Amino acid sequence: MPESLKDIPIKVEQRATQKNAAQDTTEVSLYEERQKIYPRSVKGLFNNWRIVFVLGTQLVFFGIPWLMWNGRQAVHFDLVNRQFHLFGLTIWPQDFVYLAALLICSAFGLFAWTTIAGRLWCGYSCPQTVYTEIMLWIEQWVEGDRNKRMRLDKQPMNLTKFRIKFTKHTLMVLFSLVTGFTLVGYFTPIRDLVAAAPGFNYGPWETFWMFFYGGFTYLFAGMMREQVCKYMCPYARFQAVMFDADTLIISYDEKRGEPRGARKKGLDPRSEGLGDCINCSICVQVCPVGIDIRNGLQYECIGCAACIDGCDEVMDKMGYPRGLIRYTTENALEGKYSEKEIVSRLKRPRVVLYSLLLLTILIAAVVSFSQRKPFKVDIIRDRASLVRETDEGWLENSYSVKIINVSERTQRFQLAVEGLPGIKLETDKPIITVKGTETETVPVRVEADPQYATKGSHEIHFVIQSADDQALRVEEKSSFIGE
């Protein structure tokens, strides 16, 4: 009994300690809460370049499907007939090795470009950046500048706010649907899509892809925006592997800008012990991903240079030299070489290696493609009847010769067969005419002397030769079944 009474103070103390610990516990979320970013509009050289790239990429995207070539759409990915038309060039399934080469070249081109110039692709031409910029234009046009947008979002919902928000999102959705419509226009002739629009007479796949692509354009560019770049895009994550101290990046000149602080216009900052940065936070306000470039290079930075334009504008007003924030390299910023020598640093091993690999693959693909025959041949054996005997006592096998004209012009062909003594080919079409980008299948019979076509399989070769150009000749191996 006394021992249990002695234990009572200890248990009370333990409970009090546990209660205090529970009160001191703070819940920590593993996910960062999104703070909506209201990018401030900015004017300047790099903003002008962004506008040029936005308008240029959209002119190409929306304009190409309307171009015509030889009576058909110039760029048409015809999945039904398994043909990709690129102006005067037709790509067939057998040519997809060149698509692989194109993808490899794109990869090495991206590696080389990133090593040289960082994320300039992200800042000026990436579809996410381009469409986000367009959505911001719509938002600014409907809701007003940065301060007006911030005040509008803080207001309680009323009729005016609902009207403004409804107008903005309606315009965004309409633009997104136009992008989806145009994308489908690369696979189904866009003039056919327009003709079917009044009655919405689209197939299920056409309808799906219009709304799928349009929906994700609205979601990514209109709603998620910088979240896609920060958390979904893999490029931001593996770019550090390709960056080095000589890669062109956007940097804040800390030696010149620090210590930062406010001051009167016209005052010599050195007399007050200050740097050129007036701590106005314009560089943060104009950033589409909401980072402070003064904190150094960050993976969220897309290299759009909005902060450069914003800072240069402030420097002009203060009467200070431009370039407090600028495109430079880490080594140049540290004074290891002057910024005039940045171009000379392109000869470093990593850039040379990427360039050589890119050039090698590109040359090999171009040479191979230039030597491509303007027609392709496929031999299909008639397996329903392996061998039969003719009235003359010869053995006969049946085949189907499939000729694919991969050019835009009509071609004529002659057929022959080799491989066994006296072997001959019989067909109802001595001259086969195949129109441009079309396929012709011709049934043929091959006869051989049983003296040479003994029991078993014998290798033979079909010879398909252009009747207009004797140099164009293709041989296809097949087999002849003897008795």
Side-chain angles (χ1 to χ4, degrees):
M1 188 69 166
E3 292 180 359
S4 61
L5 291 175
K6 289 179 182 179
D7 292 340
I8 289 176
I10 297 175
K11 293 179 179 180
V12 171
E13 183 178 355
Q14 289 176 344
R15 289 173 183 171
T17 303
Q18 292 173 356
K19 183 177 181 180
N20 292 334
Q23 292 176 346
D24 294 339
T25 301
T26 303
E27 183 177 351
V28 179
S29 175
L30 297 177
Y31 300 94
E32 180 184 10
E33 183 179 356
R34 184 193 179 193
Q35 301 293 330
K36 185 175 179 180
I37 296 174
Y38 301 87
R40 179 173 180 162
S41 60
V42 63
K43 297 180 180 179
L45 173 65
F46 298 107
N47 180 66
N48 294 338
W49 275 112
R50 282 198 306 279
I51 293 174
V52 168
F53 275 94
V54 169
L55 297 179
T57 53
Q58 296 314 290
L59 179 63
V60 171
F61 176 70
F62 287 107
I64 282 182
W66 294 96
L67 300 179
M68 298 298 291
W69 187 277
N70 288 342
R72 59 165 174 79
Q73 190 167 302
V75 178
H76 180 208
F77 304 125
D78 189 354
L79 298 180
V80 175
N81 296 312
R82 296 185 296 175
Q83 300 175 11
F84 284 4
H85 300 289
L86 303 174
F87 295 93
L89 179 65
T90 301
I91 304 295
W92 296 78
Q94 297 90 332
D95 297 321
F96 266 55
V97 64
Y98 299 111
L99 177 61
L102 177 62
L103 294 176
I104 294 173
C105 288
S106 299
F108 279 109
L110 182 63
F111 297 160
W113 180 251
T114 303
T115 304
I116 295 170
R119 295 183 68 181
L120 287 186
W121 158 260
C122 293
Y124 294 89
S125 299
C126 173
Q128 175 64 22
T129 301
V130 168
Y131 287 127
T132 298
E133 189 78 12
I134 293 174
M135 296 301 186
L136 284 173
W137 289 350
I138 295 174
E139 185 172 279
Q140 291 169 5
W141 181 60
V142 176
E143 296 185 357
D145 60 22
R146 181 175 185 267
N147 292 331
K148 290 182 179 179
R149 300 199 304 273
M150 294 174 69
R151 286 197 300 267
L152 181 66
D153 283 351
K154 290 179 181 178
Q155 294 176 9
M157 182 58 70
N158 53 46
L159 186 60
T160 301
K161 181 176 180 178
F162 176 80
R163 176 182 57 79
I164 294 174
K165 292 291 184 181
F166 180 79
T167 302
K168 180 187 76 170
H169 287 286
T170 300
L171 292 175
M172 288 182 175
V173 169
L174 288 176
F175 174 77
S176 300
L177 290 176
V178 171
T179 64
F181 181 88
T182 303
L183 176 74
V184 175
Y186 281 87
F187 298 88
T188 299
I190 198 164
R191 287 172 172 79
D192 295 345
L193 293 180
V194 172
F200 205 78
N201 298 319
Y202 300 128
W205 282 113
E206 293 167 339
T207 304
F208 170 78
W209 283 109
M210 283 182 195
F211 285 97
F212 181 86
Y213 187 82
F216 273 94
T217 299
Y218 172 72
L219 176 65
F220 286 169
M223 303 299 293
M224 298 181 66
R225 297 183 181 175
E226 79 285 347
Q227 301 294 303
V228 175
C229 302
K230 292 171 67 174
Y231 301 116
M232 297 178 65
C233 178
Y235 187 35
R237 300 296 180 175
F238 67 73
Q239 64 170 335
V241 180
M242 295 174 283
F243 274 35
D244 57 33
D246 293 312
T247 298
L248 192 67
I249 56 176
I250 295 177
S251 297
Y252 166 69
D253 192 341
E254 187 175 351
K255 293 180 180 178
R256 175 185 157 189
E258 300 296 327
R260 68 186 76 158
R263 79 290 305 272
K264 293 181 179 179
K265 183 178 179 181
L267 182 68
D268 182 11
R270 303 298 180 265
S271 64
E272 298 293 324
L274 297 173
D276 284 355
C277 179
I278 66 172
N279 204 24
C280 62
S281 76
I282 292 294
C283 56
V284 181
Q285 295 177 29
V286 300
C287 180
V289 294
I291 64 171
D292 190 341
I293 195 64
R294 296 172 296 180
N295 294 332
L297 179 64
Q298 297 148 72
Y299 79 89
E300 297 96 337
C301 177
I302 61 173
C304 67
C307 55
I308 297 180
D309 284 335
C311 185
D312 284 347
E313 191 174 351
V314 173
M315 292 295 104
D316 290 343
K317 292 178 180 178
M318 296 299 296
Y320 300 160
R322 291 187 168 197
L324 180 60
I325 301 175
R326 61 185 183 273
Y327 279 115
T328 185
T329 68
E330 183 181 340
N331 282 336
L333 195 63
E334 293 175 356
K336 294 183 179 179
Y337 53 79
S338 68
E339 297 196 358
K340 294 181 180 179
E341 299 178 75
I342 291 178
V343 176
S344 66
R345 304 298 297 178
L346 294 177
K347 300 176 183 178
R348 56 191 188 275
R350 182 180 295 190
V351 176
V352 173
L353 177 61
Y354 286 146
S355 301
L356 286 177
L357 289 172
L358 174 62
L359 191 61
T360 300
I361 297 172
L362 187 61
I363 291 176
V366 170
V367 170
S368 175
F369 193 81
S370 64
Q371 295 179 348
R372 185 186 67 154
K373 294 285 194 305
F375 62 93
K376 298 180 182 297
V377 179
D378 191 16
I379 307 298
I380 305 171
R381 160 181 285 282
D382 183 3
R383 299 188 180 276
S385 175
L386 294 181
V387 61
R388 59 181 290 271
E389 186 174 351
T390 65
D391 295 338
E392 292 79 13
W394 283 48
L395 301 179
E396 180 183 88
N397 285 194
S398 298
Y399 304 84
S400 293
V401 180
K402 185 178 181 181
I403 303 176
I404 305 172
N405 184 355
V406 300
S407 70
E408 294 282 329
R409 59 183 179 82
T410 300
Q411 297 189 70
R412 299 184 307 143
F413 301 95
Q414 297 172 327
L415 303 181
V417 66
E418 301 173 347
L420 291 173
I423 193 170
K424 55 185 179 180
L425 183 145
E426 299 290 339
T427 179
D428 298 332
K429 295 182 178 181
I431 299 294
I432 303 168
T433 302
V434 186
K435 296 181 179 180
T437 70
E438 292 190 2
T439 301
E440 185 76 19
T441 301
V442 181
V444 299
R445 303 176 303 279
V446 176
E447 299 178 2
D449 191 334
Q451 179 182 352
Y452 303 105
T454 55
K455 187 176 182 180
S457 176
H458 302 270
E459 181 178 317
I460 61 174
H461 294 87
F462 285 87
V463 179
I464 298 87
Q465 190 171 34
S466 172
D468 304 311
D469 185 355
Q470 299 296 319
L472 295 177
R473 185 174 185 268
V474 171
E475 287 191 15
E476 283 292 321
K477 184 175 69 172
S478 188
S479 60
F480 186 92
I481 305 299
E483 61 179 352

